[in-house]
Amino acid sequence: MINSQPSAPFTSQQSLAPKLTGVRYIPRWIGGAMCYMVFGLGGLLSSLTILPVLRYWPGTKQARTARVQRTVSLMFKGFVAMLTAVGVINVSTKNLYLLQQARSHIVIANHPTLVDVVVLISLMPNAGCIVKQSLWRNPFIRGVLSSVGYIPNRSANLLLQDCKQVLNNATNLVIFPEGTRTLVGNVINPFARGAANIAIRTQSDILPVILRTDVTGLTKQESWYQIPRQTINMSVEIADSVLHHDDEITQGNEAKMARQLTRDLQQFYLNSLSIPIDSHTDKKRK
């Protein structure tokens, strides 16, 4: 069962960052644009150099994949640090140890910004995710996706087989039930049943992560080059594990249970996100 009551609010309020205008915004825009350029070029160069070496270095297939996943997590950590340095985002966490200790979990999160997946993977040394087929044709990141063992979003049967294999290797699978970034004006987009279906059919636990932001930016309605004029304070809060299954699940009623689990998860996020962002955290990235 899912506790749909929101967690207790933090104790200290965090003020909004000033909104940059005129010439004061130019260094922010240049810094943000350079971060994206470094990210793209870094993905291309690493996929041609260090990641293939790590992937084919002696060891079992599981060990090689884990090695690459840790490296990608460190690379993403560096990208988040760059975004923080130029004032685009500021990330803080709560209950981070639950995320770092997780193994073979389905990690779900709401999706307010463009950099959500980068932030999450930067906090996990053993993360995998499902990516759309078109990204496998992107020369900047195709090598990274292949080396790290991410899953292409293909037919349902093949996708489920891939998910089972990834989860059996102690990798956490990151999924955004909204499917895309939250539309401006919505608390969340309606949840799809993919995460619940995978959890039930692979008998895996779900670890919910709540992402809160204090200002709007890096949204679906904005292009990547529209660098936020205000620093986005992002709070990453990890909830308790939610078991996917109970004694009532039998062969043939997985679809019904997936629908119910999806509704429960969506309500959990609606309740949790009713609490505004706050600055009292386990760890804060300056």
mmCIF file of all heavy atoms in Angstrom, residues 66 68-77 96-109 116-129 148 150 170-176 207 209 236 238 283 285:
data_model
loop_
_atom_site.group_PDB
_atom_site.id
_atom_site.type_symbol
_atom_site.label_atom_id
_atom_site.label_comp_id
_atom_site.label_asym_id
_atom_site.label_seq_id
_atom_site.Cartn_x
_atom_site.Cartn_y
_atom_site.Cartn_z
ATOM 1 N N ALA A 66 28.297 -2.157 -14.868
ATOM 2 C CA ALA A 66 28.296 -1.393 -13.617
ATOM 3 C C ALA A 66 29.408 -0.353 -13.620
ATOM 4 O O ALA A 66 29.236 0.772 -13.131
ATOM 5 C CB ALA A 66 28.452 -2.341 -12.426
ATOM 6 N N VAL A 68 30.675 1.195 -16.239
ATOM 7 C CA VAL A 68 30.288 2.306 -17.106
ATOM 8 C C VAL A 68 29.207 3.151 -16.432
ATOM 9 O O VAL A 68 29.227 4.382 -16.520
ATOM 10 C CB VAL A 68 29.798 1.779 -18.467
ATOM 11 C CG1 VAL A 68 29.321 2.931 -19.344
ATOM 12 C CG2 VAL A 68 30.903 1.013 -19.177
ATOM 13 N N GLN A 69 28.258 2.506 -15.748
ATOM 14 C CA GLN A 69 27.190 3.244 -15.068
ATOM 15 C C GLN A 69 27.766 4.182 -14.018
ATOM 16 O O GLN A 69 27.322 5.330 -13.890
ATOM 17 C CB GLN A 69 26.205 2.274 -14.431
ATOM 18 C CG GLN A 69 25.313 1.551 -15.420
ATOM 19 C CD GLN A 69 24.458 0.488 -14.767
ATOM 20 O OE1 GLN A 69 24.641 0.153 -13.599
ATOM 21 N NE2 GLN A 69 23.527 -0.065 -15.527
ATOM 22 N N ARG A 70 28.745 3.729 -13.263
ATOM 23 C CA ARG A 70 29.369 4.593 -12.253
ATOM 24 C C ARG A 70 30.060 5.785 -12.913
ATOM 25 O O ARG A 70 29.999 6.912 -12.408
ATOM 26 C CB ARG A 70 30.372 3.791 -11.416
ATOM 27 C CG ARG A 70 29.742 2.794 -10.467
ATOM 28 C CD ARG A 70 30.759 2.281 -9.465
ATOM 29 N NE ARG A 70 31.850 1.557 -10.114
ATOM 30 C CZ ARG A 70 31.859 0.258 -10.357
ATOM 31 N NH1 ARG A 70 30.793 -0.479 -10.025
ATOM 32 N NH2 ARG A 70 32.901 -0.322 -10.918
ATOM 33 N N THR A 71 30.694 5.523 -14.045
ATOM 34 C CA THR A 71 31.375 6.608 -14.746
ATOM 35 C C THR A 71 30.385 7.639 -15.271
ATOM 36 O O THR A 71 30.607 8.849 -15.157
ATOM 37 C CB THR A 71 32.212 6.039 -15.901
ATOM 38 O OG1 THR A 71 33.140 5.075 -15.391
ATOM 39 C CG2 THR A 71 32.968 7.146 -16.626
ATOM 40 N N VAL A 72 29.287 7.171 -15.865
ATOM 41 C CA VAL A 72 28.264 8.083 -16.374
ATOM 42 C C VAL A 72 27.666 8.896 -15.229
ATOM 43 O O VAL A 72 27.419 10.099 -15.361
ATOM 44 C CB VAL A 72 27.172 7.308 -17.135
ATOM 45 C CG1 VAL A 72 25.984 8.212 -17.451
ATOM 46 C CG2 VAL A 72 27.735 6.723 -18.425
ATOM 47 N N SER A 73 27.450 8.257 -14.079
ATOM 48 C CA SER A 73 26.936 8.978 -12.913
ATOM 49 C C SER A 73 27.886 10.103 -12.510
ATOM 50 O O SER A 73 27.449 11.222 -12.212
ATOM 51 C CB SER A 73 26.732 8.011 -11.743
ATOM 52 O OG SER A 73 26.259 8.691 -10.598
ATOM 53 N N LEU A 74 29.181 9.839 -12.535
ATOM 54 C CA LEU A 74 30.168 10.876 -12.203
ATOM 55 C C LEU A 74 30.172 11.989 -13.246
ATOM 56 O O LEU A 74 30.294 13.172 -12.905
ATOM 57 C CB LEU A 74 31.555 10.249 -12.092
ATOM 58 C CG LEU A 74 31.801 9.357 -10.870
ATOM 59 C CD1 LEU A 74 33.154 8.663 -10.981
ATOM 60 C CD2 LEU A 74 31.729 10.171 -9.583
ATOM 61 N N MET A 75 30.029 11.615 -14.518
ATOM 62 C CA MET A 75 29.971 12.626 -15.576
ATOM 63 C C MET A 75 28.748 13.524 -15.394
ATOM 64 O O MET A 75 28.833 14.749 -15.536
ATOM 65 C CB MET A 75 29.937 11.937 -16.934
ATOM 66 C CG MET A 75 31.230 11.236 -17.309
ATOM 67 S SD MET A 75 31.057 10.132 -18.740
ATOM 68 C CE MET A 75 30.423 11.266 -19.974
ATOM 69 N N PHE A 76 27.611 12.916 -15.098
ATOM 70 C CA PHE A 76 26.397 13.697 -14.871
ATOM 71 C C PHE A 76 26.531 14.564 -13.625
ATOM 72 O O PHE A 76 26.006 15.683 -13.579
ATOM 73 C CB PHE A 76 25.194 12.768 -14.752
ATOM 74 C CG PHE A 76 24.701 12.233 -16.076
ATOM 75 C CD1 PHE A 76 25.419 12.422 -17.239
ATOM 76 C CD2 PHE A 76 23.505 11.530 -16.159
ATOM 77 C CE1 PHE A 76 24.975 11.944 -18.463
ATOM 78 C CE2 PHE A 76 23.046 11.041 -17.374
ATOM 79 C CZ PHE A 76 23.785 11.245 -18.526
ATOM 80 N N LYS A 77 27.234 14.048 -12.625
ATOM 81 C CA LYS A 77 27.473 14.850 -11.421
ATOM 82 C C LYS A 77 28.262 16.103 -11.775
ATOM 83 O O LYS A 77 28.002 17.193 -11.256
ATOM 84 C CB LYS A 77 28.220 14.008 -10.388
ATOM 85 C CG LYS A 77 28.255 14.606 -8.977
ATOM 86 C CD LYS A 77 29.099 13.751 -8.053
ATOM 87 C CE LYS A 77 28.523 12.358 -7.886
ATOM 88 N NZ LYS A 77 27.265 12.370 -7.113
ATOM 89 N N LEU A 96 18.694 10.936 0.900
ATOM 90 C CA LEU A 96 19.481 10.497 -0.245
ATOM 91 C C LEU A 96 20.003 9.078 -0.075
ATOM 92 O O LEU A 96 20.143 8.335 -1.048
ATOM 93 C CB LEU A 96 20.649 11.462 -0.463
ATOM 94 C CG LEU A 96 21.603 11.136 -1.613
ATOM 95 C CD1 LEU A 96 20.855 11.094 -2.941
ATOM 96 C CD2 LEU A 96 22.749 12.145 -1.673
ATOM 97 N N TYR A 97 20.280 8.667 1.155
ATOM 98 C CA TYR A 97 20.837 7.335 1.387
ATOM 99 C C TYR A 97 19.917 6.238 0.866
ATOM 100 O O TYR A 97 20.386 5.169 0.442
ATOM 101 C CB TYR A 97 21.116 7.133 2.881
ATOM 102 C CG TYR A 97 19.869 7.006 3.727
ATOM 103 C CD1 TYR A 97 19.341 5.755 4.048
ATOM 104 C CD2 TYR A 97 19.210 8.138 4.205
ATOM 105 C CE1 TYR A 97 18.194 5.635 4.822
ATOM 106 C CE2 TYR A 97 18.065 8.028 4.963
ATOM 107 C CZ TYR A 97 17.567 6.777 5.275
ATOM 108 O OH TYR A 97 16.426 6.661 6.031
ATOM 109 N N LEU A 98 18.603 6.475 0.867
ATOM 110 C CA LEU A 98 17.672 5.472 0.352
ATOM 111 C C LEU A 98 17.876 5.240 -1.134
ATOM 112 O O LEU A 98 17.753 4.114 -1.629
ATOM 113 C CB LEU A 98 16.223 5.916 0.614
ATOM 114 C CG LEU A 98 15.786 5.976 2.062
ATOM 115 C CD1 LEU A 98 14.390 6.602 2.173
ATOM 116 C CD2 LEU A 98 15.772 4.576 2.669
ATOM 117 N N LEU A 99 18.219 6.294 -1.849
ATOM 118 C CA LEU A 99 18.458 6.181 -3.283
ATOM 119 C C LEU A 99 19.805 5.517 -3.560
ATOM 120 O O LEU A 99 19.920 4.662 -4.443
ATOM 121 C CB LEU A 99 18.418 7.569 -3.923
ATOM 122 C CG LEU A 99 18.407 7.643 -5.442
ATOM 123 C CD1 LEU A 99 17.165 6.977 -6.008
ATOM 124 C CD2 LEU A 99 18.464 9.099 -5.904
ATOM 125 N N GLN A 100 20.808 5.877 -2.784
ATOM 126 C CA GLN A 100 22.145 5.350 -3.032
ATOM 127 C C GLN A 100 22.284 3.894 -2.606
ATOM 128 O O GLN A 100 23.161 3.186 -3.106
ATOM 129 C CB GLN A 100 23.180 6.228 -2.319
ATOM 130 C CG GLN A 100 23.237 7.648 -2.877
ATOM 131 C CD GLN A 100 24.252 8.521 -2.192
ATOM 132 O OE1 GLN A 100 24.528 8.349 -1.004
ATOM 133 N NE2 GLN A 100 24.809 9.467 -2.918
ATOM 134 N N GLN A 101 21.430 3.440 -1.696
ATOM 135 C CA GLN A 101 21.472 2.051 -1.253
ATOM 136 C C GLN A 101 20.551 1.143 -2.062
ATOM 137 O O GLN A 101 20.615 -0.081 -1.925
ATOM 138 C CB GLN A 101 21.081 1.968 0.223
ATOM 139 C CG GLN A 101 22.066 2.628 1.176
ATOM 140 C CD GLN A 101 21.573 2.616 2.615
ATOM 141 O OE1 GLN A 101 20.488 2.124 2.925
ATOM 142 N NE2 GLN A 101 22.378 3.163 3.509
ATOM 143 N N ALA A 102 19.707 1.715 -2.912
ATOM 144 C CA ALA A 102 18.720 0.928 -3.649
ATOM 145 C C ALA A 102 19.395 0.017 -4.672
ATOM 146 O O ALA A 102 20.357 0.397 -5.327
ATOM 147 C CB ALA A 102 17.724 1.856 -4.342
ATOM 148 N N ARG A 103 18.852 -1.191 -4.799
ATOM 149 C CA ARG A 103 19.298 -2.153 -5.786
ATOM 150 C C ARG A 103 18.067 -2.796 -6.425
ATOM 151 O O ARG A 103 17.141 -3.199 -5.724
ATOM 152 C CB ARG A 103 20.178 -3.249 -5.155
ATOM 153 C CG ARG A 103 21.461 -2.750 -4.519
ATOM 154 C CD ARG A 103 22.444 -2.251 -5.568
ATOM 155 N NE ARG A 103 23.720 -1.850 -4.977
ATOM 156 C CZ ARG A 103 23.968 -0.643 -4.483
ATOM 157 N NH1 ARG A 103 23.013 0.287 -4.487
ATOM 158 N NH2 ARG A 103 25.155 -0.354 -3.989
ATOM 159 N N SER A 104 18.061 -2.884 -7.740
ATOM 160 C CA SER A 104 16.972 -3.540 -8.476
ATOM 161 C C SER A 104 15.612 -2.918 -8.173
ATOM 162 O O SER A 104 14.602 -3.622 -8.097
ATOM 163 C CB SER A 104 16.950 -5.044 -8.155
ATOM 164 O OG SER A 104 18.179 -5.654 -8.511
ATOM 165 N N HIS A 105 15.584 -1.610 -7.997
ATOM 166 C CA HIS A 105 14.343 -0.877 -7.774
ATOM 167 C C HIS A 105 13.913 -0.167 -9.058
ATOM 168 O O HIS A 105 14.751 0.193 -9.890
ATOM 169 C CB HIS A 105 14.507 0.172 -6.675
ATOM 170 C CG HIS A 105 14.432 -0.375 -5.286
ATOM 171 N ND1 HIS A 105 15.247 -1.371 -4.839
ATOM 172 C CD2 HIS A 105 13.620 -0.056 -4.243
ATOM 173 C CE1 HIS A 105 14.968 -1.643 -3.574
ATOM 174 N NE2 HIS A 105 13.982 -0.864 -3.190
ATOM 175 N N ILE A 106 12.635 0.049 -9.181
ATOM 176 C CA ILE A 106 12.109 0.956 -10.188
ATOM 177 C C ILE A 106 11.981 2.321 -9.531
ATOM 178 O O ILE A 106 11.168 2.506 -8.623
ATOM 179 C CB ILE A 106 10.768 0.467 -10.743
ATOM 180 C CG1 ILE A 106 10.974 -0.845 -11.501
ATOM 181 C CG2 ILE A 106 10.146 1.518 -11.668
ATOM 182 C CD1 ILE A 106 9.696 -1.478 -11.991
ATOM 183 N N VAL A 107 12.817 3.244 -9.942
ATOM 184 C CA VAL A 107 12.834 4.591 -9.368
ATOM 185 C C VAL A 107 11.944 5.471 -10.240
ATOM 186 O O VAL A 107 12.229 5.685 -11.414
ATOM 187 C CB VAL A 107 14.262 5.153 -9.317
ATOM 188 C CG1 VAL A 107 14.252 6.586 -8.802
ATOM 189 C CG2 VAL A 107 15.148 4.269 -8.441
ATOM 190 N N ILE A 108 10.850 5.947 -9.664
ATOM 191 C CA ILE A 108 9.945 6.809 -10.414
ATOM 192 C C ILE A 108 10.048 8.232 -9.871
ATOM 193 O O ILE A 108 10.407 8.449 -8.712
ATOM 194 C CB ILE A 108 8.482 6.328 -10.365
ATOM 195 C CG1 ILE A 108 7.921 6.434 -8.946
ATOM 196 C CG2 ILE A 108 8.362 4.907 -10.894
ATOM 197 C CD1 ILE A 108 6.410 6.230 -8.879
ATOM 198 N N ALA A 109 9.744 9.198 -10.714
ATOM 199 C CA ALA A 109 9.797 10.602 -10.306
ATOM 200 C C ALA A 109 8.860 11.412 -11.184
ATOM 201 O O ALA A 109 8.581 11.036 -12.330
ATOM 202 C CB ALA A 109 11.222 11.148 -10.404
ATOM 203 N N ASP A 116 15.978 16.643 -15.208
ATOM 204 C CA ASP A 116 15.606 15.730 -14.126
ATOM 205 C C ASP A 116 16.365 14.414 -14.177
ATOM 206 O O ASP A 116 16.865 13.926 -13.157
ATOM 207 C CB ASP A 116 14.098 15.452 -14.154
ATOM 208 C CG ASP A 116 13.271 16.696 -13.933
ATOM 209 O OD1 ASP A 116 13.774 17.636 -13.299
ATOM 210 O OD2 ASP A 116 12.114 16.732 -14.402
ATOM 211 N N VAL A 117 16.434 13.796 -15.349
ATOM 212 C CA VAL A 117 17.095 12.493 -15.447
ATOM 213 C C VAL A 117 18.586 12.623 -15.162
ATOM 214 O O VAL A 117 19.191 11.735 -14.539
ATOM 215 C CB VAL A 117 16.838 11.839 -16.822
ATOM 216 C CG1 VAL A 117 17.538 12.595 -17.938
ATOM 217 C CG2 VAL A 117 17.269 10.374 -16.815
ATOM 218 N N VAL A 118 19.194 13.730 -15.574
ATOM 219 C CA VAL A 118 20.609 13.951 -15.300
ATOM 220 C C VAL A 118 20.840 14.085 -13.799
ATOM 221 O O VAL A 118 21.788 13.507 -13.246
ATOM 222 C CB VAL A 118 21.113 15.198 -16.043
ATOM 223 C CG1 VAL A 118 22.567 15.494 -15.681
ATOM 224 C CG2 VAL A 118 20.980 15.008 -17.550
ATOM 225 N N VAL A 119 19.982 14.833 -13.124
ATOM 226 C CA VAL A 119 20.105 15.002 -11.675
ATOM 227 C C VAL A 119 19.963 13.660 -10.971
ATOM 228 O O VAL A 119 20.768 13.310 -10.092
ATOM 229 C CB VAL A 119 19.059 16.013 -11.157
ATOM 230 C CG1 VAL A 119 19.010 15.993 -9.624
ATOM 231 C CG2 VAL A 119 19.376 17.411 -11.656
ATOM 232 N N LEU A 120 18.959 12.867 -11.344
ATOM 233 C CA LEU A 120 18.739 11.585 -10.681
ATOM 234 C C LEU A 120 19.913 10.634 -10.890
ATOM 235 O O LEU A 120 20.385 9.999 -9.940
ATOM 236 C CB LEU A 120 17.450 10.947 -11.187
ATOM 237 C CG LEU A 120 16.142 11.556 -10.682
ATOM 238 C CD1 LEU A 120 14.946 10.863 -11.324
ATOM 239 C CD2 LEU A 120 16.050 11.431 -9.163
ATOM 240 N N ILE A 121 20.387 10.513 -12.119
ATOM 241 C CA ILE A 121 21.481 9.582 -12.384
ATOM 242 C C ILE A 121 22.773 10.059 -11.721
ATOM 243 O O ILE A 121 23.610 9.247 -11.314
ATOM 244 C CB ILE A 121 21.651 9.386 -13.895
ATOM 245 C CG1 ILE A 121 20.426 8.649 -14.454
ATOM 246 C CG2 ILE A 121 22.921 8.608 -14.220
ATOM 247 C CD1 ILE A 121 20.443 8.444 -15.953
ATOM 248 N N SER A 122 22.925 11.365 -11.564
ATOM 249 C CA SER A 122 24.116 11.876 -10.872
ATOM 250 C C SER A 122 24.129 11.455 -9.408
ATOM 251 O O SER A 122 25.191 11.442 -8.777
ATOM 252 C CB SER A 122 24.170 13.405 -10.969
ATOM 253 O OG SER A 122 23.251 14.031 -10.087
ATOM 254 N N LEU A 123 22.975 11.106 -8.866
ATOM 255 C CA LEU A 123 22.859 10.711 -7.464
ATOM 256 C C LEU A 123 22.882 9.198 -7.277
ATOM 257 O O LEU A 123 22.854 8.719 -6.143
ATOM 258 C CB LEU A 123 21.561 11.267 -6.866
ATOM 259 C CG LEU A 123 21.428 12.784 -6.849
ATOM 260 C CD1 LEU A 123 20.030 13.199 -6.399
ATOM 261 C CD2 LEU A 123 22.485 13.417 -5.949
ATOM 262 N N MET A 124 22.911 8.435 -8.389
ATOM 263 C CA MET A 124 22.889 6.968 -8.321
ATOM 264 C C MET A 124 24.044 6.384 -9.112
ATOM 265 O O MET A 124 24.219 6.711 -10.280
ATOM 266 C CB MET A 124 21.575 6.423 -8.901
ATOM 267 C CG MET A 124 20.371 6.569 -8.012
ATOM 268 S SD MET A 124 18.941 5.708 -8.735
ATOM 269 C CE MET A 124 18.590 6.774 -10.140
ATOM 270 N N PRO A 125 24.834 5.500 -8.517
ATOM 271 C CA PRO A 125 25.928 4.879 -9.264
ATOM 272 C C PRO A 125 25.485 3.695 -10.109
ATOM 273 O O PRO A 125 26.282 3.132 -10.859
ATOM 274 C CB PRO A 125 26.878 4.417 -8.153
ATOM 275 C CG PRO A 125 25.959 4.111 -7.012
ATOM 276 C CD PRO A 125 24.844 5.128 -7.089
ATOM 277 N N ASN A 126 24.223 3.283 -9.993
ATOM 278 C CA ASN A 126 23.760 2.059 -10.662
ATOM 279 C C ASN A 126 22.392 2.286 -11.305
ATOM 280 O O ASN A 126 21.422 1.601 -10.997
ATOM 281 C CB ASN A 126 23.675 0.901 -9.657
ATOM 282 C CG ASN A 126 22.760 1.216 -8.471
ATOM 283 O OD1 ASN A 126 22.597 2.371 -8.094
ATOM 284 N ND2 ASN A 126 22.169 0.194 -7.897
ATOM 285 N N ALA A 127 22.332 3.247 -12.205
ATOM 286 C CA ALA A 127 21.048 3.630 -12.794
ATOM 287 C C ALA A 127 20.977 3.241 -14.263
ATOM 288 O O ALA A 127 21.931 3.418 -15.025
ATOM 289 C CB ALA A 127 20.823 5.128 -12.644
ATOM 290 N N GLY A 128 19.819 2.733 -14.662
ATOM 291 C CA GLY A 128 19.481 2.523 -16.048
ATOM 292 C C GLY A 128 18.178 3.239 -16.346
ATOM 293 O O GLY A 128 17.486 3.675 -15.426
ATOM 294 N N CYS A 129 17.836 3.373 -17.600
ATOM 295 C CA CYS A 129 16.576 4.021 -17.934
ATOM 296 C C CYS A 129 16.120 3.572 -19.320
ATOM 297 O O CYS A 129 16.890 2.977 -20.084
ATOM 298 C CB CYS A 129 16.686 5.544 -17.864
ATOM 299 S SG CYS A 129 17.932 6.258 -18.962
ATOM 300 N N VAL A 148 26.345 2.055 -21.554
ATOM 301 C CA VAL A 148 25.813 2.008 -20.196
ATOM 302 C C VAL A 148 24.684 0.994 -20.042
ATOM 303 O O VAL A 148 24.218 0.742 -18.934
ATOM 304 C CB VAL A 148 25.342 3.422 -19.755
ATOM 305 C CG1 VAL A 148 23.966 3.752 -20.303
ATOM 306 C CG2 VAL A 148 25.415 3.586 -18.255
ATOM 307 N N TYR A 150 21.503 1.117 -21.410
ATOM 308 C CA TYR A 150 20.150 1.637 -21.321
ATOM 309 C C TYR A 150 19.228 0.867 -22.267
ATOM 310 O O TYR A 150 19.684 0.163 -23.165
ATOM 311 C CB TYR A 150 20.115 3.126 -21.641
ATOM 312 C CG TYR A 150 20.729 4.003 -20.569
ATOM 313 C CD1 TYR A 150 20.899 5.364 -20.767
ATOM 314 C CD2 TYR A 150 21.149 3.470 -19.357
ATOM 315 C CE1 TYR A 150 21.467 6.175 -19.791
ATOM 316 C CE2 TYR A 150 21.706 4.262 -18.380
ATOM 317 C CZ TYR A 150 21.870 5.612 -18.603
ATOM 318 O OH TYR A 150 22.427 6.402 -17.633
ATOM 319 N N ALA A 170 20.970 -5.889 -10.544
ATOM 320 C CA ALA A 170 21.091 -4.947 -9.423
ATOM 321 C C ALA A 170 21.097 -3.494 -9.870
ATOM 322 O O ALA A 170 21.493 -2.599 -9.118
ATOM 323 C CB ALA A 170 22.336 -5.240 -8.581
ATOM 324 N N THR A 171 20.666 -3.244 -11.102
ATOM 325 C CA THR A 171 20.552 -1.876 -11.597
ATOM 326 C C THR A 171 19.174 -1.322 -11.277
ATOM 327 O O THR A 171 18.178 -2.036 -11.368
ATOM 328 C CB THR A 171 20.788 -1.843 -13.119
ATOM 329 O OG1 THR A 171 22.125 -2.225 -13.402
ATOM 330 C CG2 THR A 171 20.548 -0.458 -13.690
ATOM 331 N N ASN A 172 19.119 -0.049 -10.898
ATOM 332 C CA ASN A 172 17.836 0.631 -10.706
ATOM 333 C C ASN A 172 17.351 1.166 -12.050
ATOM 334 O O ASN A 172 18.148 1.659 -12.844
ATOM 335 C CB ASN A 172 17.978 1.790 -9.712
ATOM 336 C CG ASN A 172 18.380 1.310 -8.338
ATOM 337 O OD1 ASN A 172 17.814 0.360 -7.808
ATOM 338 N ND2 ASN A 172 19.381 1.953 -7.756
ATOM 339 N N LEU A 173 16.068 1.078 -12.278
ATOM 340 C CA LEU A 173 15.477 1.517 -13.539
ATOM 341 C C LEU A 173 14.703 2.808 -13.310
ATOM 342 O O LEU A 173 13.729 2.831 -12.551
ATOM 343 C CB LEU A 173 14.552 0.428 -14.083
ATOM 344 C CG LEU A 173 13.966 0.629 -15.482
ATOM 345 C CD1 LEU A 173 15.074 0.765 -16.514
ATOM 346 C CD2 LEU A 173 13.053 -0.535 -15.834
ATOM 347 N N VAL A 174 15.141 3.893 -13.927
ATOM 348 C CA VAL A 174 14.514 5.204 -13.754
ATOM 349 C C VAL A 174 13.384 5.362 -14.774
ATOM 350 O O VAL A 174 13.598 5.204 -15.976
ATOM 351 C CB VAL A 174 15.538 6.341 -13.938
ATOM 352 C CG1 VAL A 174 14.866 7.702 -13.783
ATOM 353 C CG2 VAL A 174 16.687 6.190 -12.944
ATOM 354 N N ILE A 175 12.182 5.676 -14.282
ATOM 355 C CA ILE A 175 11.018 5.863 -15.146
ATOM 356 C C ILE A 175 10.259 7.103 -14.688
ATOM 357 O O ILE A 175 10.059 7.320 -13.489
ATOM 358 C CB ILE A 175 10.072 4.642 -15.107
ATOM 359 C CG1 ILE A 175 10.802 3.380 -15.582
ATOM 360 C CG2 ILE A 175 8.836 4.889 -15.969
ATOM 361 C CD1 ILE A 175 9.949 2.127 -15.524
ATOM 362 N N PHE A 176 9.818 7.904 -15.663
ATOM 363 C CA PHE A 176 8.947 9.047 -15.381
ATOM 364 C C PHE A 176 7.531 8.675 -15.808
ATOM 365 O O PHE A 176 7.246 8.648 -17.016
ATOM 366 C CB PHE A 176 9.426 10.286 -16.137
ATOM 367 C CG PHE A 176 10.789 10.778 -15.708
ATOM 368 C CD1 PHE A 176 11.916 10.446 -16.442
ATOM 369 C CD2 PHE A 176 10.928 11.556 -14.574
ATOM 370 C CE1 PHE A 176 13.172 10.887 -16.056
ATOM 371 C CE2 PHE A 176 12.178 12.006 -14.172
ATOM 372 C CZ PHE A 176 13.303 11.663 -14.912
ATOM 373 N N LEU A 207 10.565 2.817 -5.884
ATOM 374 C CA LEU A 207 11.101 3.838 -4.992
ATOM 375 C C LEU A 207 10.706 5.205 -5.546
ATOM 376 O O LEU A 207 11.274 5.666 -6.538
ATOM 377 C CB LEU A 207 12.627 3.730 -4.907
ATOM 378 C CG LEU A 207 13.316 4.655 -3.908
ATOM 379 C CD1 LEU A 207 12.861 4.351 -2.488
ATOM 380 C CD2 LEU A 207 14.831 4.519 -4.015
ATOM 381 N N VAL A 209 10.516 9.170 -6.028
ATOM 382 C CA VAL A 209 11.314 10.366 -5.793
ATOM 383 C C VAL A 209 10.458 11.570 -6.158
ATOM 384 O O VAL A 209 9.879 11.621 -7.248
ATOM 385 C CB VAL A 209 12.598 10.357 -6.642
ATOM 386 C CG1 VAL A 209 13.374 11.658 -6.444
ATOM 387 C CG2 VAL A 209 13.462 9.156 -6.300
ATOM 388 N N VAL A 236 15.184 17.255 -4.139
ATOM 389 C CA VAL A 236 15.043 15.843 -4.506
ATOM 390 C C VAL A 236 14.756 15.071 -3.223
ATOM 391 O O VAL A 236 15.649 14.870 -2.400
ATOM 392 C CB VAL A 236 16.311 15.305 -5.184
ATOM 393 C CG1 VAL A 236 16.122 13.852 -5.607
ATOM 394 C CG2 VAL A 236 16.692 16.176 -6.377
ATOM 395 N N ILE A 238 13.487 11.589 -1.468
ATOM 396 C CA ILE A 238 13.289 10.161 -1.686
ATOM 397 C C ILE A 238 12.336 9.630 -0.628
ATOM 398 O O ILE A 238 12.557 9.787 0.572
ATOM 399 C CB ILE A 238 14.622 9.391 -1.651
ATOM 400 C CG1 ILE A 238 15.528 9.838 -2.809
ATOM 401 C CG2 ILE A 238 14.366 7.888 -1.753
ATOM 402 C CD1 ILE A 238 16.342 11.066 -2.557
ATOM 403 N N LYS A 283 21.528 16.964 2.352
ATOM 404 C CA LYS A 283 22.735 17.374 1.627
ATOM 405 C C LYS A 283 22.361 18.478 0.670
ATOM 406 O O LYS A 283 21.315 18.438 0.057
ATOM 407 C CB LYS A 283 23.300 16.169 0.853
ATOM 408 C CG LYS A 283 24.475 16.506 -0.050
ATOM 409 C CD LYS A 283 24.903 15.256 -0.807
ATOM 410 C CE LYS A 283 25.997 15.569 -1.795
ATOM 411 N NZ LYS A 283 26.358 14.397 -2.587
ATOM 412 N N ARG A 285 23.895 20.929 -2.584
ATOM 413 C CA ARG A 285 24.970 21.213 -3.517
ATOM 414 C C ARG A 285 25.088 22.718 -3.678
ATOM 415 O O ARG A 285 24.143 23.371 -4.092
ATOM 416 C CB ARG A 285 24.699 20.568 -4.873
ATOM 417 C CG ARG A 285 24.720 19.076 -4.801
ATOM 418 C CD ARG A 285 24.590 18.508 -6.186
ATOM 419 N NE ARG A 285 24.674 17.068 -6.112
ATOM 420 C CZ ARG A 285 24.685 16.294 -7.181
ATOM 421 N NH1 ARG A 285 24.622 16.808 -8.384
ATOM 422 N NH2 ARG A 285 24.764 14.999 -7.074
#
